[in-house]
Amino acid sequence: MANFLRENCPTIKNVLILDADGKRVAVKYYTDDWPTNQAKLAFEKSLFAKTQKTNARTEAEITLFDENVVVYRFAQDLHIFVTGGDDENELILASVLQGFFDAITIVLRTNVEQREALDNIDLIFLCVDETIDGGVILETDGTIIAGKVASHTIDEGAPLSEQTITQALATAREHITKSLLR
């Protein structure tokens, strides 16, 4: 069944978040196209060099790079890339990028920049995992992705002032449900 899905569904080769100098902030690879860490670093460096002069701040850009379709977007000092094979649909890849970008925007409370991303790297990787699993696209709606990430990180003992709005609403919903069931 897994082979059937891989052959008939669009797949993602990697998700890259690089800083303004092209250094890794968070990366996740799903294929063996880059078998060594050196090959991955070389790909990231070359891709960054090719795209750094473009203006992908307001919407996603698409490029063909090393026989891969790459969609990317910049947010302050972060460069976010989603890569698929050269036969993948650019619109699907763009929707994956947009959903992931929307999710991290919600999770990072609209402060999508390197320092905030590094402080919340666990949430960034949860967003990646809720968007893509083994290269297969799971979800492209940023709100749903962020909601799933928030449900993983709710600390019921934390004061409401230290919770995100989504977490606070979920906590309030739990308390109301418990009080109604008594």
Side-chain angles (χ1 to χ4, degrees), residues 1-6:
M1 182 67 164
N3 287 338
F4 175 78
L5 284 175
R6 285 203 191 278

Side-chain angles (χ1 to χ4, degrees), residues 7-179:
E7 293 172 8
N8 295 307
C9 292
T11 55
I12 305 300
K13 290 186 173 190
N14 62 43
V15 174
L16 311 172
I17 302 176
L18 306 178
D19 68 12
D21 298 322
K23 303 273 191 281
R24 286 181 173 181
V25 173
V27 299
K28 191 132 186 193
Y29 285 82
Y30 300 102
T31 66
D32 296 336
D33 292 8
W34 304 274
T36 66
N37 194 46
Q38 291 300 91
K40 292 173 184 173
L41 289 170
F43 174 77
E44 294 162 19
K45 183 178 179 181
S46 299
L47 181 60
F48 179 80
K50 177 176 177 148
T51 60
Q52 74 176 358
K53 302 260 190 253
T54 61
N55 187 16
R57 298 223 177 264
T58 56
E59 60 185 43
E61 296 281 333
I62 300 170
T63 189
L64 189 61
F65 182 74
D66 283 349
E67 299 181 18
N68 296 292
V69 175
V70 181
V71 293
Y72 59 97
R73 182 171 183 178
F74 305 154
Q76 295 186 39
D77 56 354
L78 293 178
H79 297 214
I80 305 167
F81 302 87
V82 173
T83 306
D86 61 357
D87 59 342
E88 293 299 342
N89 183 315
E90 297 90 358
L91 295 176
I92 292 174
L93 296 177
S95 70
V96 170
L97 174 67
Q98 188 63 49
F100 175 68
F101 182 81
D102 291 347
I104 63 173
T105 300
I106 294 167
V107 168
L108 298 180
R109 298 173 200 89
T110 69
N111 193 16
V112 182
E113 52 93 23
Q114 182 180 355
R115 179 182 209 103
E116 192 71 22
L118 290 172
D119 288 345
N120 294 286
I121 198 72
D122 55 336
L123 299 178
I124 299 291
F125 278 113
L126 279 173
C127 285
V128 171
D129 291 343
E130 291 295 342
T131 306
I132 304 158
D133 182 26
V136 176
I137 301 164
L138 298 176
E139 183 62 63
T140 60
D141 184 320
T143 307
I144 293 172
I145 296 164
K148 288 180 180 181
V149 168
S151 70
H152 288 299
T153 60
I154 291 176
D155 178 8
E156 289 185 30
L160 287 179
S161 62
E162 294 179 12
Q163 295 182 9
T164 65
I165 291 171
T166 307
Q167 291 170 329
L169 289 172
T171 302
R173 186 172 39 246
E174 278 185 40
H175 289 296
I176 291 170
T177 304
K178 286 179 185 175
S179 68

